[in-house]
């Protein structure tokens, strides 16, 4: 796997330190507005799996976890074709404080789609947390409550992010080598 990987943008250690900070911030914010059993964390599959696994262990509150699947990249694609919900949204979100977790904010299509859908379900509050945000206007202009890192407009893999469903298990966030993609 390593031969395909180019420049490392974020090492596993840097990511871990930032995830710890995000967990503390989110816990303190949620504690201030929500009572026990009112919080639902909604990971967006598949890219958020590694991030959310680390993040939820930094949130020592009673939370429900309920996933949603969003597809925007068909197989070996590096350009989004527009976000679509696959399957169903979590049930029973009315009156809940919902934290949605995604890997990366790019066009903003995913956040827009999911925020609307979850607000429509009558959630008491909806917040988004992404590990990465590309420094492009579409991403910077999309409201997002918690952002781990701002990164250049490059296609990245690792720490849950894939290319054609590979490289999710890389512990760092890195660029692919030019000849790989
Ligand atoms: P948006 O809907 O904001 O355009 O994009 C969000 C989704 O696109 C992310 O959840 C992720 O699945 C995918 N995506 C956007 N940029 C990248 C990237 O650089 N690398 C990978 N692997 N996926 C990306
Ligand atoms: Mg995604």
């Amino acid at each position: 796997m390593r031969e395909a990987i180019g420049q490392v943008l974020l090492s596993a250690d840097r990511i871990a330190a930032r995830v710890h900070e995000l967990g503390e911030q989110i816990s303190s914010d949620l504690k201030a507005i929500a009572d026990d059993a009112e919080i639902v964390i909604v990971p967006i599959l598949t890219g958020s799996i590694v991030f959310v696994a680390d993040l939820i262990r930094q949130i020592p509150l009673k939370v429900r976890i309920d996933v949603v699947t969003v597809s925007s990249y068909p197989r070996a694609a590096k350009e989004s074709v527009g976000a679509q919900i696959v399957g169903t949204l979590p049930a029973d979100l009315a009156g809940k404080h919902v934290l949605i977790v995604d890997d990366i904010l790019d066009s903003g299509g995913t956040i827009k789609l999911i925020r609307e859908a979850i607000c429509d379900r009558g959630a008491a509050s909806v917040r988004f947390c992404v590990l990465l945000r590309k420094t492009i206007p579409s991403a910077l202009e999309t409201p997002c409550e918690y952002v781990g890192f701002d990164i250049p407009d490059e296609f990245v893999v690792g720490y849950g992010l894939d290319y054609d469903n590979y490289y999710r298990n890389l512990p760092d966030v890195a660029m692919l080598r030019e000849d790989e993609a």
Side-chain angles (χ1 to χ4, degrees), residues 74-96:
R75 283 182 50 82
K78 287 178 162 185
E79 297 289 337
S80 171
V81 294
Q84 284 183 334
I85 297 174
V86 180
T88 54
L89 272 182
D92 307 330
L93 294 179
K96 304 287 190 219

Side-chain angles (χ1 to χ4, degrees), residues 84-161:
Q84 284 183 334
I85 297 174
V86 180
T88 54
L89 272 182
D92 307 330
L93 294 179
K96 304 287 190 219
H97 295 278
V98 181
L99 176 75
I100 303 152
V101 180
D102 204 3
D103 50 3
I104 185 165
L105 169 50
D106 183 10
S107 73
T110 303
I111 287 195
K112 204 162 168 281
L113 175 79
I114 296 294
R115 198 189 281 278
E116 271 177 30
I118 289 187
C119 285
D120 285 351
R121 297 287 171 108
S125 72
V126 180
R127 288 152 194 252
F128 259 88
C129 175
V130 296
L131 177 72
L132 309 171
R133 175 172 65 185
K134 291 192 178 170
T135 42
I136 54 174
S138 60
L140 296 170
E141 286 160 10
T142 299
C144 181
E145 287 73 13
Y146 305 100
V147 176
F149 299 94
D150 280 314
I151 62 164
D153 185 17
E154 299 286 350
F155 187 83
V156 293
V157 296
Y159 199 71
L161 291 108

Side-chain angles (χ1 to χ4, degrees), residues 44-48 70-73 102-104 110 161-162 168:
I44 299 184
L45 299 182
T46 305
S48 74
V70 173
S71 163
S72 36
Y73 281 44
D102 204 3
D103 50 3
I104 185 165
T110 303
L161 291 108
D162 73 308
R168 295 194 196 276

